[in-house]
Amino acid sequence: MAKTYKKPEMIGQQVGWCPGCGHGIIQRLIAECCEELGMAEKTIQVVDIACAYWSIDTLNCDGIAGPHGRCAAVATGIKNVYPDSNVYVHAGDGCSYVIGLAETCYAAQRNVPITMIVVNNGVFGMTGGQMCAATTLVGDKTVSSKAGRDADVAGEPFDMLNVIKSYNIAYAARGALYDPKHIDAVKRMLKKGFENQRDKKGFSIIEILSPCPTNWKLSPVDAMKKIKEENEKVFPLKVYVDNGGEING
């Protein structure tokens, strides 16, 4: 029997992400998961003042744009006030792992029962494609590393989930968007993160390797190829933590 696919009701209108950007795929997966779990009516999104901001205008749910880098802290406050809500962060790697590194780590340390979705596209996308200290690959050219990232000058990118996994959290995983199989795996990771929140199991973080054709100066097809052949070697796709840890305090 043929299966009918339709737009999730949570998606209210089109957005302005660049052609080939992965944020739109992620947004649809979020909407599908929330609807399939019956959480759409009690979902609150916290987005960054960056590429993820477009989601505020698109999804039919409550939401707030946190100060750049402070999304985990804002989501923590919302969850404390509305403990029965489905509170999630949709932010980039620069927000979550550079400017907001402390906020992300302390949310994990306290095992705050939120779902944090980190889009790893290797650059600061909205501000013009500057190097991201956490995720830009050595040799990758950006507007602030025109000759390519030099490890002797800027250090090397690091796997933040290797740090996060040391905390007593519920879930940490990384997926990618370069083909349907891996997109489906990302959806399962997102759903797991929302289920953990529903079941009061604690902090969940899902990092997603996503293309940025505009700032990478690549076609959408070549950007997906780069993720598979280059980025995945530095940022392996796997589940780092899945223990349903108890909520601290």
Side-chain angles (χ1 to χ4, degrees):
M1 179 180 294
K3 185 174 182 179
T4 300
Y5 291 92
K6 62 179 182 178
K7 176 177 69 66
E9 293 183 4
M10 278 186 73
I11 298 179
Q13 64 181 22
Q14 293 181 339
V15 296
W17 283 309
C18 300
C21 174
H23 277 279
I25 299 173
I26 295 166
Q27 179 183 255
R28 182 184 176 101
L29 296 179
I30 290 170
E32 289 178 353
C33 290
C34 289
E35 291 184 3
E36 290 169 10
L37 293 170
M39 292 179 165
E41 293 299 321
K42 62 177 184 178
T43 292
I44 302 174
Q45 60 175 323
V46 180
V47 301
D48 184 32
I49 302 296
C51 298
Y53 179 82
W54 289 103
S55 187
I56 281 283
D57 296 330
T58 305
L59 291 184
N60 293 322
C61 65
D62 290 331
I64 186 170
H68 188 44
R70 309 310 187 248
C71 291
V74 173
T76 297
I78 293 173
K79 190 66 177 181
N80 286 338
V81 175
Y82 299 103
D84 294 327
S85 293
N86 179 43
V87 182
Y88 77 87
V89 170
H90 178 179
D93 43 1
C95 163
S96 305
Y97 296 161
V98 181
I99 295 174
L101 179 60
E103 285 75 9
T104 299
C105 286
Y106 279 113
Q109 181 187 13
R110 295 192 299 270
N111 201 21
V112 179
I114 59 174
T115 305
M116 189 161 184
I117 302 163
V118 180
V119 183
N120 179 349
N121 59 14
V123 292
F124 280 87
M126 180 65 80
T127 54
Q130 295 85 357
M131 185 189 77
C132 177
T135 59
T136 299
L137 302 186
V138 172
D140 275 6
K141 296 179 180 180
T142 72
V143 297
S144 59
S145 58
K146 292 185 179 296
R149 179 173 185 160
D150 184 343
D152 291 334
V153 175
E156 297 186 4
F158 58 91
D159 186 344
M160 187 61 194
L161 294 189
N162 269 330
V163 177
I164 293 291
K165 73 179 184 182
S166 66
Y167 296 110
N168 177 35
I169 62 174
Y171 189 69
R174 179 183 294 115
L177 301 176
Y178 56 73
D179 61 28
K181 175 183 176 180
H182 286 85
I183 290 172
D184 187 58
V186 168
K187 181 176 179 178
R188 292 195 299 272
M189 291 174 180
L190 294 175
K191 185 170 286 188
K192 178 73 172 181
F194 291 136
E195 288 172 338
N196 284 338
Q197 186 171 173
R198 177 197 63 193
D199 299 337
K200 304 185 185 303
K201 290 184 176 179
F203 182 84
S204 296
I205 182 167
I206 299 95
E207 181 184 311
I208 304 170
L209 302 186
S210 177
C212 185
T214 297
N215 289 306
W216 290 358
K217 305 294 190 293
L218 296 173
S219 70
V221 172
D222 287 340
M224 291 295 192
K225 184 178 179 181
K226 180 182 187 302
I227 293 175
K228 182 177 181 180
E229 297 182 355
E230 299 179 29
N231 297 59
E232 187 181 333
K233 293 179 180 178
V234 179
F235 303 106
L237 309 183
K238 63 179 181 178
V239 175
Y240 287 71
V241 178
D242 188 3
N243 60 21
E246 296 299 321
I247 299 174
N248 296 333

